[in-house]
Amino acid sequence: MSTAAPTTGRPTETSAPSATGGRRRPSPLARLSSLSWTSLLYVAPALAFFGVFVLYPIGISVWYSFYAYDGLTVGTPVGWGNYTAVFTDGRLRAALLHSLVLLLFYAALPVCVGLLLAGAMSRIRVYGLTVFRAVLFLPQILSSVVVAVAWRNLLAADGPVNAVFRAVGLGRFATSWLGDFDTALPSIGLIGTWVEYGLCMVLFLSGIVTIDRSTYEAARLDGAGPVREFFAITLPALRPQISIALVLTVTFALRNFDLIWNTTRGGPGTTTTVPSLYVYQDAFQNRMLGRASALAIVLTLVILLVVVVVQLALREREGPRRRFTRPRTPDRKVQSS
């Protein structure tokens, strides 16, 4: 009588135990053979859309970046010449420096303000919280053109902001905020902070409601105050939401175009220029599609690099140390004794 177990189908490598006693990881060929081709048909339209409207334009941009091309005549191959021009042009280096400065206003400040508001809202009872939260999120849903026009009027030399300064006796600080060489870039940055902090706040509030409340109770029994609760419980638990918020805000900061174009158009001088402005000017005004494509590819790689760094820095690590534990009920046997 045979002792071999009956097989119900084709044996695979995933079911065979390894020599060390653990389960062997499936090989790429085994994983490919286990795919259901019927399920792939459901995602085929999305893949086709992604390929036509995302991958194909990126491929065309990479192709153009190796040519001197004006969009009308036949392009001339220039090899890495457009990329060399990108890295040796002093204007582009200054524009990239402006983008790095805007990261402080578009990413760091909104995350800090969002954490502060979310932490306060989670502890303080606010009447009409839904309306209050919607009002704070309102800048995120407004069109960038509307935001730019509104703040251009607010920050004008004779605008409401300067009127308030003069009314409280601080008229010496009144200036043309978007027309001054010293205040134009910080003013653009603060507009971005105003736009982005609502998104961060909503993300953090959604993460706070998932935290086990018994953890806070254990912390309070240990004598932790509001500040220690925030840094020991709330902030570590919000790591996934902080990662998402940083990815969204950093991407917005590095590819920002419409907000700057509709407020300062890169001025005064070149104090508020960013790489995306040069991409637009080279492509549609100077008719240098090859160089604009090379700059767009470099900007895309910079955004991907920053996003990868953020993801690696804030990824979840195994075996997190818990500072507070849930309070245990006393042992009945000990009490009875």
Side-chain angles (χ1 to χ4, degrees):
M1 181 177 179
S2 174
T3 59
T7 57
T8 57
R10 185 179 57 182
T12 60
E13 296 181 359
T14 57
S15 59
S18 63
T20 59
R23 297 185 64 84
R24 184 181 303 171
R25 298 185 63 182
S27 65
L29 184 60
R31 283 181 291 181
L32 182 62
S33 62
S34 64
L35 289 177
S36 173
W37 294 104
T38 305
S39 61
L40 291 179
L41 291 177
Y42 288 100
V43 298
L47 292 177
F49 186 89
F50 183 79
V52 171
F53 292 102
V54 177
L55 296 182
Y56 178 73
I58 292 177
I60 290 294
S61 297
V62 173
W63 178 263
Y64 284 167
S65 66
F66 293 101
Y67 284 83
Y69 182 48
D70 60 3
L72 297 175
T73 59
V74 178
T76 303
V78 294
W80 294 93
N82 289 325
Y83 290 95
T84 303
V86 168
F87 288 105
T88 57
D89 192 337
R91 298 179 309 152
L92 296 179
R93 289 199 299 269
L96 186 59
L97 181 61
H98 296 159
S99 293
L100 297 180
V101 173
L102 290 180
L103 283 178
L104 173 66
F105 293 95
Y106 282 44
L109 280 181
V111 169
C112 293
V113 174
L115 284 172
L116 181 64
L117 291 175
M121 288 183 180
S122 64
R123 293 188 59 88
I124 302 174
R125 183 178 181 83
V126 180
Y127 292 97
L129 178 61
T130 304
V131 177
F132 186 63
R133 191 166 49 197
V135 170
L136 294 181
F137 188 72
L138 184 63
Q140 184 62 215
I141 62 176
L142 292 177
S143 169
S144 297
V145 177
V146 174
V147 172
V149 172
W151 277 101
R152 193 173 59 192
N153 294 327
L154 288 172
L155 298 175
D158 55 349
V161 173
N162 286 332
V164 171
F165 275 108
R166 296 187 183 98
V168 298
L170 299 175
R172 63 182 182 279
F173 294 111
T175 183
S176 178
W177 297 94
L178 295 174
D180 191 289
F181 282 85
D182 297 327
T183 60
L185 188 61
S187 299
I188 291 289
L190 290 177
I191 296 174
T193 304
W194 181 77
V195 171
E196 292 295 316
Y197 82 95
L199 171 65
C200 299
M201 180 197 66
V202 172
L203 285 174
F204 301 150
L205 284 175
S206 65
I208 288 177
V209 298
T210 63
I211 301 175
D212 190 353
R213 307 308 298 180
S214 62
T215 310
Y216 287 104
E217 296 173 2
R220 288 162 190 166
L221 290 177
D222 289 343
V227 176
R228 190 180 178 193
E229 281 184 19
F230 178 79
F231 284 101
I233 300 175
T234 307
L235 193 59
L238 292 180
R239 179 179 294 174
Q241 287 76 23
I242 293 175
S243 176
I244 295 174
L246 283 177
V247 169
L248 294 177
T249 53
V250 166
T251 304
F252 178 72
L254 293 178
R255 65 174 177 81
N256 184 24
F257 168 77
D258 45 2
L259 189 59
I260 296 177
W261 183 257
N262 289 291
T263 50
T264 63
R265 293 182 182 267
T270 58
T271 53
T272 59
T273 53
V274 291
S276 57
L277 260 68
Y278 285 122
V279 172
Y280 174 79
Q281 291 175 347
D282 286 345
F284 301 105
Q285 293 181 346
N286 303 328
R287 308 199 67 81
M288 301 169 61
L289 290 182
R291 177 167 167 166
S293 299
L295 180 55
I297 296 299
V298 171
L299 183 60
T300 302
L301 294 177
V302 170
I303 293 175
L304 291 177
L305 178 62
V306 174
V307 170
V308 169
V309 171
V310 170
Q311 292 290 322
L312 292 178
L314 296 179
R315 66 178 177 178
E316 292 285 350
R317 293 175 174 81
E318 296 182 356
R321 186 177 60 180
R322 299 178 66 88
R323 296 189 177 184
F324 298 104
T325 58
R326 296 182 181 180
R328 294 183 178 179
T329 55
D331 192 350
R332 294 182 179 178
K333 295 182 179 179
V334 175
Q335 287 183 341
S336 60
S337 62

